[in-house]
Amino acid sequence: MRWHVLGAGAIGGLFATRLARAGIPTTLLLRSTQQLEAFDTGGRTLVLETGQGTESVAVDAEPAAGTSAIDHLLITTKAYATDAALERVLPRLHAGSEILLLQNGCGQQQALAQRLPGLAIWAGTTTSGVRRLSPFHLRLAGEGETRIGPMTAAARGLPGGWDRLAHPLHLSDDIERTLWQKLAINAAINPLTALAGCPNGTLLESGYDTRLRALCAEIEAIAQAAGRALFDTPLIDQVRTVARTTAANRSSMLEDISAGRRTEIDQITGYLCQQARRHGIAAPINERLLHDIHILEGNNMRDRSSRER
Ligand code: KPL
């Protein structure tokens, strides 16, 4: 058994170290020869700093556009990059391939399951917080939990070898609900922190109370209109708990904005706005956040191209 990891960012790197540590041969699929050279120069290891110390884990790497068959594929790309990344590896997949998507956002998991319905496909969410200090050097900010569930009939139990991972893992019997729960939390925390440039814990301050409550109520209304159950308790309580447990963390959207990268706003808030339109309800708060983050992304892109000129 060998797992190939498509999307060698923070989450991809974290799970590559977890797989390799469990004795499962693991290969990073890298996009460019520069990335492969940098990985070779660093001794073909991923470095993971945890509260307990620093682990150096040896993994393999190869170009995504290689030729050997891929039996087990973990996709951890940014949500918007899923299609383009998949195109590169599609010729390497076969009827028995297993695919697991561990990403933020919604829509891309369902699209892949519709596109490849005969394959064993799982989707998952993780609340583990990990930062990339340099391309192959990661710091684990907090060990969260990971929920995985089947997206197609061929996906049974956990994906191959994942029962051996030293990582808090749960099999979800309602993965659509799990995806919506994570989507709702991300839609509440990520745009607000990205716009304010603040860590997650700042949202607990009283100045955010009214805004956060109104945003959570609107997200709940969209989920209800779409026929999706969220949590058994109010979303605001869940969001506050996540903001408290990740108080010092910067959300992934804030990190993207700070680094001048595209964000996952279209797959998070954009997906919710699409659902609201489809089900005929208004979503003014989410529409506004979508607009404001697009403006911020646009400013970033303009700043970047003027620096490059
Ligand atoms: O998943 C996250 C993210 O930043 O994308 C949260 C839960 C908001 C933690 O930072």
Side-chain angles (χ1 to χ4, degrees):
M1 177 188 302
R2 175 175 291 276
W3 275 86
H4 285 82
V5 181
L6 187 59
I11 294 295
L14 174 67
F15 282 92
T17 65
R18 295 291 189 243
L19 286 160
R21 279 276 182 200
I24 299 169
T26 302
T27 302
L28 298 179
L29 293 170
L30 300 179
R31 239 186 343 220
S32 64
T33 43
Q34 288 96 312
Q35 280 182 308
L36 278 164
E37 278 164 18
F39 192 58
D40 281 345
T41 309
R44 297 197 148 231
T45 51
L46 285 170
V47 178
L48 178 68
E49 290 181 21
T50 67
Q52 281 77 51
T54 301
E55 302 171 27
S56 285
V57 184
V59 297
D60 299 315
E62 63 185 41
T67 49
S68 60
I70 293 180
D71 301 329
H72 304 276
L73 178 66
L74 171 62
I75 301 182
T76 49
T77 58
K78 289 283 183 190
Y80 55 77
T82 312
D83 282 354
L86 190 76
E87 284 312 319
R88 286 194 285 274
V89 297
L90 213 49
R92 304 178 63 181
L93 298 174
H94 55 88
S97 297
E98 291 191 338
I99 304 178
L100 166 60
L101 300 109
L102 265 185
Q103 299 167 303
N104 273 342
C106 242
Q108 72 277 10
Q109 305 92 338
Q110 295 80 354
L112 186 65
Q114 266 170 26
R115 183 170 177 186
L116 304 172
L119 265 56
I121 301 178
W122 290 259
T125 64
T126 184
T127 54
S128 283
V130 57
R131 284 192 70 185
R132 211 148 68 125
L133 304 181
S134 65
F136 305 108
H137 187 166
L138 312 170
R139 179 179 294 149
L140 188 63
E143 186 75 287
E145 59 176 35
T146 299
R147 298 185 175 273
I148 291 175
M151 295 294 297
T152 56
R156 296 204 188 88
L158 283 172
W162 281 64
D163 54 336
R164 286 192 255 150
L165 263 57
H167 178 92
L169 207 63
H170 302 273
L171 185 61
S172 166
D173 56 9
D174 187 351
I175 189 62
E176 289 288 345
R177 183 176 186 188
T178 303
L179 293 175
W180 267 82
Q181 288 172 333
K182 181 74 183 348
L183 179 79
I185 289 185
N186 284 138
I189 294 181
N190 293 19
L192 290 182
T193 52
L195 288 167
C198 64
N200 298 347
T202 303
L203 300 185
L204 297 167
E205 290 172 9
S206 56
Y208 280 97
D209 193 55
T210 310
R211 216 169 159 206
L212 199 58
R213 274 180 194 284
L215 175 56
C216 287
E218 191 176 289
I219 295 169
E220 285 177 322
I222 299 170
Q224 196 182 15
R228 299 290 176 190
L230 289 178
F231 299 95
D232 296 334
T233 54
L235 177 59
I236 182 78
D237 296 346
Q238 298 286 336
V239 167
R240 285 179 171 284
T241 303
V242 174
R244 200 171 303 116
T245 51
T246 63
N249 291 11
R250 288 156 56 90
S251 72
S252 54
M253 198 169 286
L254 174 56
E255 287 285 293
D256 288 339
I257 289 289
S258 307
R261 289 189 296 257
R262 182 177 168 186
T263 73
E264 295 179 304
I265 194 74
D266 292 332
Q267 289 71 31
I268 298 175
T269 306
Y271 182 80
L272 284 177
C273 291
Q274 256 174 33
Q275 293 291 317
R277 278 178 234 127
R278 178 171 305 161
H279 296 285
I281 69 160
I285 305 175
N286 282 283
E287 293 282 3
R288 181 79 217 184
L289 290 172
L290 181 62
H291 172 266
D292 290 352
I293 295 286
H294 280 158
I295 299 276
L296 214 53
E297 282 179 326
N299 290 345
N300 260 341
M301 297 301 163
R302 271 192 295 281
D303 286 354
R304 208 164 60 185
S305 60
S306 66
R307 273 201 308 273
E308 283 161 5
R309 248 183 265 131

